[in-house]
Amino acid sequence: MEGTQLVREYLLLGLRFDRLVDGFVDAYTGDPALRRRIENEPKPDPAALAARARDLRGELAGIDLAPERVRFLDAHLTALECSGRKLAGQEVGFVDEVDAYFQVRITRGDEDVYREAHRELDRLLPGGGPLRERLSSFRKRDEVPAEKLEPCVLALSSALRDKARDVFGLPEQETVEYEIVSDKPWSGFNYYLGGYRSKVAINADLGHRMANLPHLVAHESYPGHHTEHCRKEAGLVGKRGQDEQTIFLVNTPQCLMAEGLADLGLHALVGAGWGPWTQEILGDLGLHMEGEQVERMEGALGGLLSVRQDAALMLHHHGADPDEVAAFLQRWLLVNEARARQMLRFLSDPLWRAYTTTYVEGYRLLRAWLDARPSGQELSERYRRLLDEPLVPVTVREELAAAVPVVPHGG
C-alpha cells in the first residue's frame, strides 16, 4: 500500500470511530468528501475497526513515508485498535488502556509529596484554622464575578494573542470566538473549525478564579490548542502534505502531546511573573488580584498534580467506591464536595475516563523536555517544535534519555 493511500485509510478509520462515539473526532479539517462517505455508510462494527487498525499497522513496514510520519501513524493505530477492542466489549485493564492510548505507564503518586505541598500552602496562607478553610477563603477572594467572566477572558486572550503572534507567528486570518456555557464535565474546550478558526467554550459552572483564567486561555487558545492547530494546518498539512494531521482523535498520543503543550502555554509565553502580569490586565477591568501571592500558591499546588490521576486509578483500576474517590479528591486537593463531584463526573465519563493522564503525564513529560533543552536554545524555540512537529511521547522520552534533540526529517 502506498503512503498516501494508507493515510487516507487512517482518516476513514478515525471518522468511522466517530460514528460509534460522538466526539471521538475532536477536529477534522480534511477532505469533506471522506466525511460524507462515512456518514452514508452503515454504522461500523467496533471489532472490525480494531482489526482494520491492526492491519494498517502491519502495512507500515517499508511504507514510502518519512520515519516520523510512520512513528506517528503506528502510535495512533495502536490507540485506535485498543479503542475498537474496548467498544467491542473486550476486557482491557485500565493501566493497559492508558498505555495503549498515550504511550505512558501510570502508577500512583507519592502522598509524601502531597503532604509537602500542603505544608508549603500552610506556610503561604496567613491566619489560623484548618488549611482547607484558609485556602477556600483565599480562593473566594480570587473568584471572577460571573458578569466579568467574558470580559476577563477576552482581555487575557487579546494580550496572549499579541504575544503569541510576536513569538511564534500565526496566520493573519486566524481567529478565536468565545462562548460561555454550562453543564459540562470540563472547564474549557477548544473546537477547532479549520481555516485557522476556533470556537472556545468556557464552562461558567466552575466559578473561575483569576489564578486559573490566564492558564485556561493560554491552554485553549494562545499558545495552546488553537495555536497548535493553526501552525500544524499551515505547516505540516499546507506545506508538507501530512494529511494525517487533518484529524485529531480522542484517546490517542496526540492528545497527551496537545494537553501537555497547552498546559505549559503560559509558562512558555509569559513565564515567571505571570501573576503580576495578569493582575495588571484584570485590574483594568476593576478586579483586584494578589498577583505575586497567587503565583506562589499555584506553584505549591503543582505538587498535587498527580492526585486526579490517582483518583482515576482508584476508580478504574482498583474498583474503589465513587464516594471514597470523592473523599480522596477533597482531602488532597483541598476542594469542597461539589468540586470533587465535578471532577468525578469527568473521571467517570466513558469517553474521558482515561483522559486525565494527558494533563498529568503530558505536563510532566513536556516540562522535563523543555527544561532539558540544549544550552543556548530559547524556551520559545524548543516549544515551537511542539507546535510544528508530529512528535509522540516515545520520541520525546528518547530525546530526554539522549539529552540531544533529534533533527526533524522532511517528507
Side-chain angles (χ1 to χ4, degrees):
M1 187 182 295
E2 292 186 355
T4 53
Q5 178 63 23
L6 190 142
V7 169
R8 186 174 183 273
E9 292 298 318
Y10 167 72
L11 296 175
L12 289 169
L13 180 65
L15 292 169
R16 288 186 176 112
F17 270 96
D18 203 51
R19 291 288 309 279
L20 293 176
V21 181
D22 185 38
F24 197 95
V25 172
D26 182 81
Y28 177 67
T29 60
D31 183 356
L34 294 186
R35 175 159 254 168
R36 287 195 298 269
R37 170 181 163 179
I38 298 305
E39 288 171 350
N40 291 323
E41 288 181 352
K43 193 171 183 178
D45 170 45
L49 296 186
R52 185 58 176 155
R54 187 165 55 251
D55 290 344
L56 289 174
R57 281 190 70 209
E59 296 276 356
L60 287 171
I63 199 82
D64 56 336
L65 293 172
E68 81 275 8
R69 296 182 69 183
V70 173
R71 176 167 273 198
F72 179 91
L73 288 164
D74 182 73
H76 289 74
L77 289 167
T78 298
L80 292 179
E81 181 184 352
C82 183
S83 285
R85 290 170 55 211
K86 279 194 59 62
L87 289 169
Q90 294 184 33
E91 286 293 328
V92 180
F94 183 67
V95 173
D96 292 333
E97 177 187 356
V98 170
D99 192 7
Y101 291 162
F102 307 125
Q103 297 188 325
V104 63
R105 202 80 184 165
I106 60 173
T107 57
R108 286 286 292 266
D110 185 348
E111 293 190 359
D112 284 342
V113 173
Y114 307 158
R115 291 186 184 93
E116 179 54 38
H118 283 198
R119 284 192 287 270
E120 178 62 18
L121 288 168
D122 189 52
R123 288 191 288 268
L124 288 170
L125 285 166
L131 177 58
R132 182 184 297 178
E133 292 179 10
R134 283 181 285 147
L135 182 59
S136 177
S137 296
F138 182 85
R139 285 172 164 161
K140 192 73 177 173
R141 296 197 303 274
D142 195 49
E143 281 183 5
V144 178
E147 69 277 8
K148 293 284 183 77
L149 179 57
E150 188 169 13
C152 287
V153 166
L154 294 175
L156 289 166
S157 180
S158 177
L160 288 166
R161 184 185 193 229
D162 288 345
K163 282 182 171 289
R165 281 178 164 266
D166 181 56
V167 175
F168 299 116
L170 283 165
E172 280 300 318
Q173 65 270 43
E174 66 79 25
T175 184
V176 177
E177 172 191 346
Y178 293 91
E179 66 173 353
I180 307 301
V181 300
S182 60
D183 193 29
K184 300 293 182 183
W186 33 256
S187 58
F189 203 99
N190 176 291
Y191 298 92
Y192 188 65
L193 307 174
Y196 314 121
R197 297 173 299 117
S198 285
K199 180 177 71 174
V200 170
I202 306 292
N203 185 5
D205 290 349
L206 301 184
H208 290 277
R209 296 184 291 113
M210 289 179 273
N212 297 132
L213 225 45
H215 290 279
L216 180 61
V217 176
H219 181 108
E220 303 296 346
S221 302
Y222 306 105
H225 294 324
H226 172 72
T227 302
E228 181 192 8
H229 279 304
C230 286
R231 288 191 61 91
K232 283 190 166 74
E233 183 175 350
L236 289 181
V237 178
K239 293 179 180 177
R240 295 168 63 181
Q242 296 190 13
D243 286 348
E244 62 271 22
Q245 299 297 330
T246 62
I247 197 166
F248 194 99
L249 300 166
V250 170
N251 291 333
T252 62
Q254 65 190 149
C255 296
L256 185 139
M257 297 297 299
E259 300 299 354
L261 79 86
D263 269 351
L264 285 157
L266 195 66
H267 169 68
L269 197 57
V270 180
W274 64 263
W277 178 84
T278 305
Q279 178 182 325
E280 183 176 350
I281 292 170
L282 300 188
D284 290 341
L285 295 171
L287 297 180
H288 174 67
M289 177 183 177
E290 302 168 56
E292 291 185 5
Q293 176 73 341
V294 159
E295 188 167 342
R296 287 192 292 267
M297 295 280 292
E298 292 301 305
L301 287 165
L304 304 176
L305 176 67
S306 295
V307 171
R308 288 181 300 159
Q309 183 165 271
D310 288 355
L313 282 164
M314 290 173 66
L315 199 61
H316 302 302
H317 184 62
H318 299 291
D321 184 86
D323 290 342
E324 180 187 349
V325 178
F328 177 86
L329 290 166
Q330 290 178 74
R331 176 190 178 189
W332 290 117
L333 294 181
L334 302 165
V335 295
N336 60 29
E337 183 177 2
R339 185 72 180 96
R341 295 289 176 182
Q342 176 75 7
M343 294 179 192
L344 195 59
R345 179 184 173 190
F346 186 80
L347 292 169
S348 304
D349 188 285
L351 180 60
W352 301 109
R353 70 179 209 149
Y355 205 82
T356 290
T357 286
T358 66
Y359 304 108
V360 177
E361 302 296 343
Y363 180 94
R364 185 176 286 145
L365 175 66
L366 298 189
R367 178 60 189 261
W369 181 80
L370 289 174
D371 289 347
R373 62 188 180 275
S375 176
Q377 185 181 58
E378 294 289 333
L379 174 60
S380 59
E381 183 182 349
R382 183 78 150 177
Y383 188 86
R384 189 178 291 110
R385 287 190 60 200
L386 300 175
L387 298 173
D388 291 354
E389 296 182 29
L391 299 172
V392 291
V394 164
T395 305
V396 174
R397 279 201 298 274
E398 286 176 357
E399 292 194 19
L400 265 175
V404 176
V406 174
V407 178
H409 299 279

